[in-house]
Amino acid sequence: MPQRHSKNNNDLAFFTYDEKRKLGYGTQKERLGRDSIKPFDACCLCLKPFIDPLCCQKGHVFCKECILECLLAQKKDIQRKLVAHAAQHKQEKKEEEEKLMLQKARELDAFDQQNHGAVPQYSDKNYNRDKNGFHGANSVKATSYEEEALRTMKAFWLPSATPEAPVKVEAPSASTICPEGKEKLKMKTLFPIYFTEDTNERKSSKSLDKIFICPSCKVTLTNTLSLVALSSCGHVFCKKCADKFMAVDKVCLVCNKGCKERNLVCLEKGGTGFAGHGDHLEAKDFKHLGSGSGLGLVRPAMKT
């Protein structure tokens, strides 16, 4: 009888290599599809086709309304944190003054007791007053007992015995940041950009989606092309035309407005916080077999 092949030998007490591979053992690779990548003509915040696009100096494109709302929300949050920080600083200063006053009062009491220890503190010998405002010896004993019980009590779930952790508010940064690139961003650094629409192609296809082209070479703009915007006038070209003409002639081909090399801003390719972009469009997961279940536990693959 011929020997059974390892792929067909399924009566072993352990998994063979082929069985592990069928269960998905090891590093699984999958290239991100078109649905996982943001189009170049979509806003980085709302992920919809942009309206009145504005671009930052790092090449991130936003809708005008979206980025204005984002910056305004950041300013309000900074103002709220500044108010909270000022209130906390004022409270700390007040507590420090109270500590100094209590320390001075203790020093005065100690000095008074040292020099007038034989003289009673009050004219009425039966009048006893503790620090909490209770009168009489019984109230003093009860109050001290309660304080001692609260200090040694382990019932942290009681409101009276719950420890309080002071929340310290750090001084916030006064500058707004770009929601996509995480660098400092001001409203005056944003500039509008203008795409050249292919009207002939749109009329022939009769679709609602706008088709943009490079105004120089008339190539349809897609995510596969690297795009360059001029911060001086806002017109968008493909990178080949920008390097070939604008970088050499220092003039925009559409409006003939002068530009310098620093005005050439490369637009970031489509990508969001949920998917990568650029040259790394491959997702990896490492799956190892669970104990006794035959199912795998998935975690991100480690870089080697």
Side-chain angles (χ1 to χ4, degrees):
M1 183 176 181
Q3 187 178 2
R4 298 182 65 182
H5 197 270
S6 61
K7 292 184 177 181
N8 300 324
N9 189 8
N10 53 6
D11 58 348
L12 299 176
F14 55 87
F15 283 127
T16 62
Y17 177 78
D18 186 68
E19 289 172 344
K20 289 182 179 180
R21 298 298 296 177
K22 289 181 179 179
L23 289 173
Y25 176 80
T27 302
Q28 306 296 322
K29 300 179 181 180
E30 183 179 358
R31 184 174 174 83
L32 298 177
R34 182 180 178 182
D35 296 336
S36 301
I37 303 174
K38 180 183 72 66
F40 73 94
D41 58 345
C43 173
C44 292
L45 291 175
C46 64
L47 303 180
K48 296 179 181 179
F50 46 62
I51 301 174
D52 296 332
L54 294 178
C55 181
C56 67
Q57 299 297 327
K58 296 295 183 180
H60 302 108
V61 183
F62 310 94
C63 295
K64 185 176 182 179
E65 183 179 358
C66 295
I67 191 62
L68 288 180
E69 288 182 356
C70 180
L71 295 179
L72 183 61
Q74 290 186 33
K75 289 183 178 180
K76 288 183 179 180
D77 188 55
I78 291 172
Q79 189 66 24
R80 179 184 58 81
K81 290 181 179 179
L82 287 174
V83 172
H85 180 69
Q88 179 184 357
H89 184 68
K90 185 178 179 180
Q91 182 67 20
E92 290 177 354
K93 188 176 180 180
K94 184 178 179 180
E95 291 177 356
E96 189 68 24
E97 292 177 355
E98 290 178 356
K99 287 182 181 179
L100 291 176
M101 291 177 62
L102 289 175
Q103 185 177 359
K104 289 181 179 180
R106 292 193 191 99
E107 292 176 357
L108 289 174
D109 290 341
F111 178 79
D112 187 56
Q113 290 178 5
Q114 183 179 1
N115 292 276
H116 307 283
V119 180
Q121 187 174 1
Y122 300 98
S123 59
D124 187 5
K125 295 183 179 180
N126 296 325
Y127 182 82
N128 294 323
R129 185 181 183 91
D130 66 335
K131 61 182 179 179
N132 292 323
F134 297 100
H135 301 280
N138 294 330
S139 62
V140 174
K141 291 181 180 178
T143 307
S144 61
Y145 174 77
E146 290 176 359
E147 290 181 354
E148 184 65 24
L150 286 177
R151 282 196 297 267
T152 59
M153 187 181 294
K154 303 298 183 182
F156 54 86
W157 55 86
L158 296 178
S160 58
T162 302
E164 295 182 358
V167 180
K168 190 173 183 180
V169 180
E170 301 292 340
S173 176
S175 58
T176 54
I177 61 173
C178 176
E180 188 70 16
K182 304 304 179 183
E183 71 272 357
K184 292 183 180 180
L185 179 64
K186 294 183 179 180
M187 187 61 199
K188 62 181 181 181
T189 59
L190 296 171
F191 61 92
I193 58 176
Y194 306 98
F195 286 85
T196 305
E197 185 178 354
D198 189 2
T199 56
N200 297 329
E201 186 69 21
R202 187 178 179 183
K203 288 180 181 179
S204 61
S205 61
K206 295 181 181 181
S207 61
L208 298 177
D209 298 334
K210 295 181 180 180
I211 299 176
F212 300 107
I213 61 174
C214 174
S216 176
C217 60
K218 307 300 180 183
V219 174
T220 303
L221 302 182
T222 60
N223 274 9
T224 58
L225 294 176
S226 298
L227 307 180
V228 175
L230 302 181
S231 60
S232 57
C233 59
H235 292 104
V236 180
F237 300 86
C238 64
K239 188 171 177 58
K240 291 183 179 180
C241 295
D243 294 339
K244 188 175 182 180
F245 300 106
M246 269 72 72
V248 177
D249 299 337
K250 310 294 183 182
V251 173
C252 177
L253 299 179
V254 178
C255 59
N256 293 327
K257 187 176 182 179
C259 64
K260 298 182 180 180
E261 190 172 355
R262 67 170 181 268
N263 298 127
L264 301 178
V265 179
C266 294
L267 300 184
E268 289 291 335
K269 290 186 178 181
T272 65
F274 306 99
H277 57 82
D279 298 332
H280 305 286
L281 298 176
E282 192 174 48
K284 295 182 180 180
D285 279 334
F286 177 78
K287 182 181 290 186
H288 62 90
L289 297 180
S291 57
S293 62
L295 300 177
L297 301 177
V298 179
R299 68 171 185 264
M302 302 297 293
K303 295 183 179 180
T304 56

